Amino acid sequence: MAEIILNVDVRDGVGTGGARAARRAGFVPGVLYGGDQAPVAISVNEKDFRKSLYTGKLLGHLVTLKYGDETQPVIAKDVQFDPVSDRPLHFDLMRVDEHAPVKIEVPVHFKNADEAPFSRQGGSLEIVRHAVEIMVKADSIPEELVVDLAKSQMGDTIRFSDIELPKGVEPTITDRDFVIATIKVSSAALSAAADEAAETPAEKTED
């Protein structure tokens, strides 16, 4: 099962009024949905929720929901924050079978960019997708998908097939090898080239 356990209470009040009452009482309101069951309004102690959130293993990961003596695997799909205080205001949990495939977005991480040939050539990485939706078993969701740029050169196009896929991971887009990023000439390199070109005629005139 998952590393994080969320002890939840079922909320009687739904809607904006019920959510506000939960926050005043020191809880974060949320909704549990998915499966063949109806959505349920729930809440979690805000301090406990923050601790789980700051581990980095809550959102988009398999966690254990606990209500009394009952437990079930869920995935935290979304957390809404106050734009000023950054306080968690609401969250969504999705019921899952921990051994069954689920669709979920996972961040893409690019490594070895500084050592890549394109860096020495004045190139820059332009990311098209910061995250990719995949199909994977709920208990095997990877922290990230990794692209190794060690051999990437100017003009290269990084596609999904360039990602080092963990076992059991499949893309939800299956009709094409879609683009993740491209390698282009950096604006700094273009500016330097333009400056050099502008200076050349003046140097010839002085001669």
Side-chain angles (χ1 to χ4, degrees):
M1 290 291 285
E3 298 178 17
I4 293 178
I5 298 176
L6 289 178
N7 290 283
V8 305
D9 292 321
V10 175
R11 292 189 286 125
D12 294 328
V14 295
T16 304
R20 288 176 177 172
R23 295 188 194 103
R24 285 196 299 268
F27 290 84
V28 182
V31 173
L32 173 66
Y33 67 95
D36 298 326
Q37 303 178 51
V40 177
I42 57 177
S43 62
V44 176
N45 178 278
E46 183 174 347
K47 290 183 179 179
D48 294 338
F49 187 81
R50 285 178 178 270
K51 289 179 181 178
S52 299
L53 185 63
Y54 295 152
T55 63
K57 297 181 179 295
L58 176 62
L59 189 60
H61 291 74
L62 184 70
V63 302
T64 298
L65 179 150
K66 185 174 183 180
Y67 174 62
D69 294 330
E70 299 179 9
T71 62
Q72 63 177 299
V74 298
I75 289 179
K77 295 287 286 186
D78 185 46
V79 179
Q80 299 172 20
F81 298 90
D82 184 290
V84 177
S85 66
D86 207 32
R87 178 187 181 188
L89 297 178
H90 189 274
F91 64 93
D92 293 332
L93 299 180
M94 182 178 71
R95 302 182 185 95
V96 296
D97 177 343
E98 63 180 314
H99 302 301
V102 295
K103 290 181 180 180
I104 191 154
E105 277 202 344
V106 176
V108 178
H109 174 69
F110 299 87
K111 69 176 184 179
N112 295 325
D114 293 339
E115 293 78 23
F118 74 83
S119 292
R120 299 190 294 272
Q121 298 164 352
S124 64
L125 177 68
E126 294 195 7
I127 300 174
V128 177
R129 294 175 182 264
H130 291 273
V132 172
E133 187 180 65
I134 60 172
M135 183 75 75
V136 64
K137 289 184 179 179
D139 61 353
S140 301
I141 299 172
E143 295 285 333
E144 60 186 10
L145 299 179
V146 179
V147 178
D148 190 348
L149 299 173
K151 298 181 180 179
S152 298
Q153 303 194 35
M154 195 82 76
D156 282 358
T157 298
I158 312 300
R159 299 182 178 276
F160 183 80
S161 58
D162 296 307
I163 294 178
E164 301 172 3
L165 287 182
K167 184 179 179 180
V169 172
E170 298 289 342
T172 56
I173 299 176
T174 57
D175 61 342
R176 64 189 186 280
D177 189 11
F178 53 91
V179 176
I180 302 297
T182 57
I183 309 297
K184 296 184 177 181
V185 180
S186 67
S187 56
L190 289 174
S191 178
D195 291 343
E196 183 178 346
E199 291 173 358
T200 302
E203 292 174 356
K204 289 182 177 179
T205 301
E206 291 176 0
D207 293 340

